[in-house]
């Protein structure tokens, strides 16, 4: 059961200018879909659970591996071999017993992915490959659902917010194309532990802003942890985008 | 001849060995400019493994470059 938004847990949100009781209530009623509970997903889920997002659906078919532990703090050595979403759901329920957490240990695609996206107020892309990212983006465009995209590798990360007005604004596919390929993955190129957490926490902020109607969505933000540099870029709608151009 | 400010982000900073440089070029678009920088990147086709922004807006490789433009090269990132 959700406690009243004025309980002590929410005190700093209630007292926050431009947030207050109304946004706190909207956050309590929000449903956030998180695809991937790895480095970015762990941080996003932990921040959203702590903040009191009412329902979190966690999707990941992967199991905890020892190589995850340096950047995925929801997991401990005792969890190695267990489904990530099951472990994460247990930890997050301890963190905030008042929210609903729905773990799904599967790879969502097609109609199942579209249905999961449609049921959510916002989707967070915490996956680790372009194929999954393109599939989630298409489901978001098809259902008119906002997408918060985050990624991390080596010393760097990226965050961007798309939709839900895809008729007049770009989608993820406008930014990346089928030609794009990751230079490497976390296994091949490595990643510094806190970089995905930095990105995942920013994704949680963008998700909260989206579901509560507060703030302004971030532009495409690039982070280089090796120098501490941030760059923010505009993304234009691609008139030839195969996903959103006809919207 | 145009003067372009080229900025290298993250992985491309490491590869170029510098944060930025000012380039005198006759390149008409971003792809031609990149190819003139080939020696610094060790590759002759950036499409697929490098993204480009012009004056802080993401651009295509066939986007024109003009005198005084600020061109940013940064890597695609899909890891989670």
């Amino acid at each position: 059961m959700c406690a009243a938004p004025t309980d002590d847990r929410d005190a700093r949100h209630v007292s926050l200018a431009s947030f207050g009781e109304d946004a706190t209530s909207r956050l309590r009623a929000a449903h956030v879909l998180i695809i991937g509970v790895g480095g970015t997903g762990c941080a996003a889920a932990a921040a959203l659970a702590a903040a009191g997002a009412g329902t979190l659906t966690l999707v990941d078919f992967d199991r905890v591996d020892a190589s995850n532990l340096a950047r995925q703090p929801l997991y401990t050595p005792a969890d190695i071999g267990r489904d990530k979403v099951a472990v994460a759901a247990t930890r997050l329920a301890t963190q905030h017993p008042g929210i609903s957490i729905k773990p799904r240990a599967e790879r969502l695609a097609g109609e199942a992915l579209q249905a999961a996206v449609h049921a959510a107020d916002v989707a967070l892309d915490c996956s680790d490959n372009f194929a999954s990212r393109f599939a989630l983006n298409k489901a978001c465009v098809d259902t008119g659902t906002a997408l918060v995209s985050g990624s991390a590798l080596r010393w760097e990360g990226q965050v961007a917010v798309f939709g839900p007005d895809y008729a007049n604004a770009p989608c993820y596919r406008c930014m990346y194309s089928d030609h794009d390929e990751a230079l490497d993955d976390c296994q091949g190129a490595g990643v510094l532990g806190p970089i995905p957490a930095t990105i995942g926490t920013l994704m949680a902020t963008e998700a909260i802003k989206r579901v509560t109607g507060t703030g302004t969505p971030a532009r495409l933000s690039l982070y280089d942890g090796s120098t501490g540099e941030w760059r923010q870029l505009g993304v234009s709608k691609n008139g030839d985008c195969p996903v959103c151009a006809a919207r | 001849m145009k003067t372009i400010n080229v900025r290298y982000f993250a992985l491309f900073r490491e590869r170029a060995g510098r944060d930025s440089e000012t380039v005198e070029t006759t390149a008409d678009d971003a792809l031609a400019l990149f190819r003139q920088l080939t020696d610094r990147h060790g590759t002759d086709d950036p499409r697929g493994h490098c993204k480009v922004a012009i004056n802080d807006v993401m651009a295509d490789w066939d986007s024109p470059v003009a005198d005084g433009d600020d061109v940013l090269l940064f890597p695609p990132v899909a890891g989670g």
Side-chain angles (χ1 to χ4, degrees), chain A residues 38-40 126-130 133 150-154 156 158 175-176 179-183 219-220 222-224 226-227 229 231-236, chain B residues 7-15 19 46-61 70-80:
Chain A
T40 55
C126 301
S127 64
D128 62 2
N129 63 86
F130 277 117
R133 291 176 180 279
S151 58
L153 190 68
R154 297 178 291 266
E156 66 234 40
Q158 302 178 2
M175 184 172 90
Y176 279 121
H179 297 298
D180 291 312
E181 52 187 85
L183 287 167
R219 305 169 74 202
L220 168 61
L222 312 179
Y223 174 56
D224 182 354
S226 73
T227 61
E229 182 182 5
R231 294 290 299 247
Q232 290 200 307
L233 304 176
V235 180
S236 300
Chain B
R7 300 181 187 280
Y8 302 100
F9 194 81
L11 181 65
F12 292 106
R13 175 190 290 109
E14 296 175 24
R15 291 188 175 180
D19 295 335
R47 289 170 292 192
H49 57 260
C50 180
K51 305 300 288 182
V52 61
I54 300 175
N55 300 329
D56 292 332
V57 178
M58 280 194 71
D60 297 321
W61 287 109
D70 186 302
V71 174
L72 177 74
L73 302 175
F74 63 99
V77 177

Side-chain angles (χ1 to χ4, degrees), chain B residues 1-6 8 21-38 54 63-71:
Chain B
M1 192 70 76
K2 305 164 186 171
T3 301
I4 306 291
N5 302 307
V6 181
Y8 302 100
E21 64 184 319
T22 300
V23 178
E24 300 291 330
T25 181
T26 57
D28 290 326
D29 59 27
L31 183 59
L33 172 66
F34 189 97
R35 284 181 168 151
Q36 291 184 8
L37 301 168
T38 290
I54 300 175
S63 297
V65 291
D67 187 47
D69 276 353
D70 186 302
V71 174

